[in-house]
Amino acid sequence: MIIQLALDRMNMKEAIEMARTVESSIDWIEVGTSLIKEFGTTSIKKMKNQFPDKKIVADMKTMDNAAYEMDLCFQEGADVATVMGAAPDVTIQKCLEKASEYKGKIMIDLLNVSDSRFEQLQIYNQAVFCEHVSKDSQEIADHAVAKMRKQDGLIRAVAGGITLASLPEMIRQGPDVIIIGSAITKAKDPAEAARLFKETINMVKGVNEV
């Protein structure tokens, strides 16, 4: 089970320092949408240069102009890039083609995607499917966390509002990737918080596998 650290709403120096602080407990590093918007796609390159052995996720949230945006992020060193599940099929298909060209992966963000649209998207089974509770939704509902729709054979991720308290339930849903942001980055001791997330995942997975 992969831990993806989501880095948002900070400057690049802070983002790199945060990733360095928790490096031993996380697997993938997400260059968040806010970083890309504020500092450009060079933010992806800077993160990859600092952490060449980590998978770097560019949270582009692409909705259109897929080839151009995918070229931008993969040329800067991204290993994974995001596209919105609400985007047109032609956009998602182009993202997947570009990812294949660069030997990368696409993560489809299921924010506000209906069950019927989710069914349609399952043809793109080489992508990672991310169930996502938005930041705005979290702010008006303290306990808003992602819930995975059941579907075997897909690579699944969950994001949004995940805390140590909600983590065991998240693990029981069986995601391949757990995306954690503020519960680590806003913690008093981010390194300890990240360590506890990793320890809890290993412990709960061990219990479930017995």
Side-chain angles (χ1 to χ4, degrees), residues 4-207:
Q4 177 176 316
L5 175 69
L7 298 169
D8 272 298
R9 297 172 294 282
M10 57 183 73
N11 62 42
M12 283 308 302
K13 182 174 183 291
E14 291 168 338
I16 289 168
E17 287 177 352
M18 179 60 66
R20 186 73 65 203
T21 297
V22 304
E23 182 178 5
S24 62
S25 297
I26 55 111
D27 305 292
W28 294 4
I29 300 172
E30 174 189 319
V31 183
T33 312
S34 65
L35 291 183
I36 295 171
K37 285 185 174 181
E38 186 169 358
F39 303 107
T41 54
T42 56
S43 59
I44 303 165
K45 184 176 184 178
K46 288 177 181 177
M47 197 63 71
K48 188 62 175 180
N49 286 344
Q50 290 292 320
F51 303 96
D53 296 327
K54 298 287 188 186
K55 284 199 180 294
I56 304 301
V57 181
D59 193 13
M60 296 290 283
K61 290 188 170 69
T62 291
M63 278 291 288
D64 192 13
N65 204 15
Y68 180 76
E69 292 195 0
M70 293 299 102
D71 277 337
L72 282 176
C73 66
F74 284 120
Q75 286 172 6
E76 295 286 22
D79 299 286
V80 184
T82 66
V83 61
M84 301 308 292
D89 283 345
V90 65
T91 299
I92 295 171
Q93 184 60 48
K94 181 57 70 174
C95 286
L96 288 164
E97 289 170 6
K98 280 293 180 180
S100 178
E101 182 181 324
Y102 289 97
K103 296 181 171 55
K105 282 197 87 66
I106 291 299
M107 182 179 289
I108 299 176
D109 190 321
L110 300 175
L111 185 66
N112 277 5
V113 165
S114 67
D115 289 346
S116 59
R117 177 59 176 156
F118 176 56
E119 291 291 330
Q120 295 169 354
L121 290 169
Q122 289 172 32
I123 61 170
Y124 307 118
N125 57 13
Q126 64 270 53
V128 180
F129 287 77
C130 180
E131 298 283 6
H132 182 193
V133 175
S134 73
K135 181 66 176 173
D136 292 337
S137 295
Q138 293 171 51
E139 288 176 353
I140 62 173
D142 290 341
H143 301 294
V145 293
K147 289 183 172 57
M148 285 174 52
R149 284 167 276 202
K150 298 298 182 184
Q151 179 60 46
D152 295 333
L154 300 178
I155 306 171
R156 306 300 299 276
V158 288
I162 297 172
T163 64
L164 275 169
S166 66
L167 183 60
E169 176 56 31
M170 290 294 101
I171 296 169
R172 281 189 282 273
Q173 293 186 49
D176 302 283
V177 183
I178 291 184
I179 303 172
I180 306 163
S182 297
I184 290 176
T185 62
K186 301 297 184 185
K188 289 183 179 180
D189 186 341
E192 176 65 5
R195 186 191 69 78
L196 287 171
F197 270 102
K198 184 174 184 179
E199 184 180 272
T200 302
I201 287 171
N202 291 337
M203 180 179 66
V204 175
K205 275 188 67 184
V207 170

